[in-house]
Every structure is written in structure tokens, then in C-alpha cells.
Amino acid sequence: MPLAAAALCSQWQLPVGKLGCRALLGALPAFSSAAIDAASNKLHVCVVGSGPAGLYTVDRLLKRYGDKVHVCVLDRLPTPFGLVRSGVAPDHQDTKNVINQFSAVAGDPRVSFFGNVRVGVDVQLEELRALHHAVVLAYGAESDRRLGVPGEEGPGVLSAREFVWWYNGHPDARRLPIDLSKVRSVAICGIGNVALDCARALLAPPARFAPTDLAAHALVQLAGGAGGSGRSGVREVHLVARRGPVQAACTPKELKELLGECGVTACVADPGQLAVSAADAAEMKATRLKRRVHELVTKAVADAGTGGAGEEAERRRLFFEFYRNPVEVLRGGPDGGVTGLRVERTEVRPEGPGFSVAVGSGVYDTIDCQLVLKSIGYKGLPLQGVAFDGRRGVVPNVAGRVLQAAPGDSAPAPAPDPGLYVVGWLKRGPTGIIGTNLVDADETAGSVGADTEALLAAGEATHGSAGPPGLAGLAPLLAQRAVRAVDWAGWRRLDEHEVAAGRAAGRVREKVTDVDEMLRVVGV
């Protein structure tokens, strides 16, 4: 048994079993007797992370077990919903409507929300495992893949995740050193939907974002340009992609939105970048979405400059830099700021059936820019005591069951770590849309169900007849440590505060971006 869990049992004078504390609930610190009674003879699950993957998992568990389950949901921020709040673009309010569904789940009496609780700091994972039948890791991917090129470290280079967090008001990014008044040109490495979100924020007219929940500090920075009163000096964005338009990772819907609704002029440095090879033609024939992306880019470039001189002066420019691989971030001046991005031209060559690779040509170009955003993929972060695949940035698992080690080339394969599960980006990598997590959560919840039902059927041999305490153990533990946890009622107070402040300003909501201020509003 883990040492911290053993200490927890000793502190509460609870006998120790193989997997954790036997639930002699009378030995717990003072807590509501009704809650303690409700905790008996139930399946207790802890979900770490309150984003889509975590809340979809809770939903599946509630549907499967009804009143026989209680779920504690932990999040390191006082606010729930993960990337729905901090990752979805502010001008995509329809996408954020899924929050209504998640609110119904998290507000269910069979669910207890604990915001502002840091696993590994305020409470240890092994303690959560001792208090619950199962722990599901759903904290997503909060790091980024690196370019791995000279000049990447230093001012003027950010990940797209950081930039998105900045304009969405994530507390971790509110103080990023971003000054768009000194930026005329931005290079975005990558051409997925997140890259297009960043380009849209930088290029779209201020009126597009003024009514949304874009963070107030970002609204001031981005509201420059014609008719704006802000300070943005951005006039062009370069989307840098190692391969061609047919291989672009973005969806036609997002691309059409950027090209058709944001008043930008689309350009390519070399018309040859739009040429279609035999392999491209085969891909386009096989996949309608790829054909549509190529059509949208080609038409936008052809239509560029068709307006009058006055109209063109009002537009900002979007450059497609296809077949360009970043090799160095150029720096200069007394502060070492970004002056450009050096790229190598590439050629796409087939490498096996249905697979191609971008190969360097030895020809180099320089893109003048003052800010570089890296949009080449998110990565998960390891958690003490959990196996981790550092190369993929995921927790190794089979059907959501966490393995005791990352699989290697040698047999036998690692065994599952009993009672520990994973879901979402931390499980499969940063792929898919919000709805993808529903299928993923269904699989993980199914694994939790199959394993815990077997445990309960065995008569709770490892926990005692009452089972682990769940909420009745976690709540007093956090209170004893003076953790300023935010419950669901507290979040609702913060939510109402933000909506009211937004309404007064003619906006959807005015986000609170500082954790201490959040806690003041909540009253904890």
C-alpha cells in the first residue's frame, strides 16, 4: 500500500487493507452524518479533471449505476469545463452550448465538484486511490510539442495553446508578455483548426469579438486596425505548413470562416504551392474534405485583390506558406526579439501505401515576423506515481485501464494498475473534437464498471463491507488541510457574477481571470 495512504489510515485510525483504508467511518473527522450514510455501499469514483472527457465519463457512470454511484470531480482551477472554457474560440459560442449539458451532469446530487484542488499538492493521488474504488485521470494535455529549432526559446515565441489560453482568460496565461502594438507580422507554425483560431483572432475585425467572452485584456490588444481603438499592429499572418494544401489538418468549415467572414486577403508566396501532384489528386478523389480545402484556398487566392484600392487597404493579409519547414527563429536587436522565421522548402514524397513524408530541398527562405506561434500539437504531462509515455505525451493504457509501465518491445506486456483509469487527450493523444470524448469516455466508464462490479461482487474483500469512504473521506481531508476548494454552488456564484458583468458591458460574459479574485467572488 502507498505510504501516504497508509499514513492517512493511521491518522484516522483506520485498518489497512491491500488497496487502501477499510472504511470505519466513525473514525473520520467530523462530517455530515447524512453524507456519511449516503456514502455507504456505493461505488465511489474520483475523476481528476472537469473538461469534456471527465464530465462525459461522469455522465456515463451516472447512467450506468443510477443511485448506486457517487463521483467526486476535482479540478486544479476554480472553474469547470476545461477546454470548453479556455480552448474553444470566443466567436464559436454555439460550440460552448455543451456547457449546459455538462452543468446538468456536474450539478447532479450524485456528483461533488471540488475546484481549486491540485492533485500532487493539496492531495496526493495515492490518497485519492485509498478513498475511492476507482480514480479516472482526465486532466487533458497542458503542454506542447516543440519545434526543436535554434531560437525557439525566448521572447516572441509562444505555443498556440498559450495564445489561446491568453485570449480566453485562462489564469495561467493572463500575464503572458504579449504586446501586439509592436507586431506587424505573425508566423503560425501549423495549419490545423487551432492555428486558424489564432489567425482569426489576429486578423478579424474587432466587432467580431466585442460581444463575445474574449478576455478583456485580449480585447484591448486585438481591437486595432481600421475602425478599432486598440493597439494591435498586426497586418499579416503567415500559416506555415511542411506539406501542401491537400494535407492541411484544418477542416473546410473553419477555413471557409476565416477566408469568407473576416475580411482577409489570401496570398501565396509562390503559385506553385497550389499545384496538384498525382498523389494529391488521389487523396482529393478519395476524401471530399481534402478536395474542399484545396478548392477554398485556390479560390481565395484567385479572388485576392479584386476589390478597389480603398477596400484593399482596409484588409489584412493571410499568407499560405505551404511546403515550408521551420528551421530557425531569427532574433536581433538589443532585446533579442524575433525578427523572422527561417524555413526550408520541402517536397512531399510517398513513403509506403497511403503515407507520405515532407523532405527538405536545401532551399531556404525567410519570413519576416515579430511573433511566432507554434501550433504543432499538444502534449500531456506526467503525474507522480503514474506510468507515462513521454514520446506520445499520454498515459499508457488498454481501453482506459492505466498500465503499470509504458509498453516496450519486450514481452510480457505491462499489467494494468488496479483501480486507475484514464480518458480523453491524456488517454489517446490530442485528437478529435469535443464529441470524440463521448465515445472515449464510454469505453473508459465501461472498464471502470467491469472492474468495480467484480470487486463489489467479491464482497469488498480489500475495503471492508462498507467500501471506501469517497466523499465522506475526501471532504474532511481537504477541510483539515485548509484547502480553499470551490464547490458547485461556489462556481454558480462565479458564473452569475461573470454573466452579470458581461451583460453590463454588452457582452456574453466578462471572465474573471485571476484565481484570487475568483475565490473572493466565490467567498472561500
Side-chain angles (χ1 to χ4, degrees), residues 411-481:
D417 194 346
L420 191 59
Y421 304 84
V422 65
V423 70
W425 280 5
L426 194 61
K427 172 186 176 183
R428 68 180 189 274
T431 60
I433 59 176
I434 291 174
T436 308
N437 292 291
L438 178 57
V439 176
D440 194 44
D442 197 57
E443 179 182 63
T444 294
S447 294
V448 172
D451 298 346
T452 53
E453 284 167 10
L455 177 64
L456 293 172
E460 292 286 350
T462 58
H463 284 288
S465 59
L471 171 65
L474 179 60
L477 176 63
L478 296 177
Q480 183 183 69
R481 293 176 179 174

Side-chain angles (χ1 to χ4, degrees), residues 25-329:
L25 296 177
L28 289 171
F31 192 67
S32 166
S33 60
I36 292 176
D37 291 340
S40 302
N41 301 316
K42 284 193 175 186
L43 172 64
H44 294 286
V45 181
C46 180
V47 175
V48 180
S50 65
L55 292 178
Y56 274 135
T57 301
V58 175
D59 178 66
R60 297 293 92 182
L61 290 169
L62 297 182
K63 285 181 167 58
R64 183 182 186 114
Y65 285 102
D67 291 335
K68 295 181 180 180
V69 66
H70 189 276
V71 186
C72 292
V73 179
L74 276 59
D75 202 292
R76 72 178 182 89
L77 294 178
T79 56
F81 310 131
L83 280 179
V84 180
R85 178 177 169 96
S86 63
V88 173
D91 55 341
H92 286 178
Q93 290 297 315
D94 287 349
T95 303
K96 295 191 179 190
N97 285 339
V98 71
I99 283 177
N100 297 329
Q101 176 185 350
F102 291 153
S103 293
V105 172
D108 190 285
R110 296 166 292 177
V111 179
S112 297
F113 175 70
F114 293 87
N116 197 45
V117 176
R118 300 161 296 172
V119 176
V121 179
D122 299 316
V123 62
Q124 300 302 315
L125 175 62
E126 56 198 48
E127 293 175 322
L128 296 177
R129 297 183 71 176
L131 293 170
H132 301 84
H133 291 95
V135 174
V136 181
L137 304 178
Y139 59 83
E142 296 194 338
S143 183
D144 312 278
R145 292 178 57 193
R146 289 174 44 82
L147 287 172
V149 303
E152 180 176 2
E153 302 298 329
V157 178
L158 300 169
S159 70
R161 173 190 59 82
E162 291 174 310
F163 187 68
V164 169
W165 279 12
W166 173 77
Y167 68 60
N168 268 321
H170 192 292
D172 290 0
R174 62 189 295 266
R175 297 193 185 278
L176 283 177
I178 295 175
D179 184 357
L180 296 179
S181 69
K182 299 178 180 178
V183 176
R184 183 190 62 82
S185 176
V186 180
I188 303 178
C189 302
I191 193 170
N193 284 344
V194 175
L196 298 192
D197 285 345
C198 294
R200 205 168 60 253
L202 289 163
L203 295 174
R208 183 178 182 90
F209 289 98
T212 73
D213 60 350
L214 185 85
H217 60 256
L219 187 61
V220 171
Q221 290 261 8
L222 292 168
S229 59
R231 301 175 298 170
S232 176
V234 176
R235 291 298 175 268
E236 60 186 47
V237 168
H238 298 256
L239 292 173
V240 183
R242 292 185 302 112
R243 299 193 292 174
V246 175
Q247 292 82 35
C250 61
T251 60
K253 179 181 178 181
E254 293 263 357
L255 186 58
K256 182 178 180 181
E257 183 180 25
L258 173 61
L259 295 173
E261 299 178 14
C262 297
V264 301
T265 296
C267 308
V268 289
D270 176 4
Q273 294 181 36
L274 301 181
V276 177
S277 68
D280 289 339
E283 284 193 63
M284 293 166 67
K285 183 178 181 180
T287 307
R288 178 183 175 278
L289 294 181
K290 292 181 179 295
R291 182 172 71 252
R292 183 62 179 144
V293 166
H294 187 274
E295 290 172 351
L296 287 168
V297 173
T298 302
K299 184 178 186 303
V301 171
D303 290 346
T306 56
E311 178 183 340
E312 186 63 24
E314 297 290 321
R315 300 168 77 88
R316 298 183 183 182
R317 296 193 294 172
L318 175 71
F319 287 86
F320 291 102
E321 305 281 359
F322 293 116
Y323 304 106
R324 302 292 189 269
N325 184 42
V327 295
E328 183 180 5
V329 177

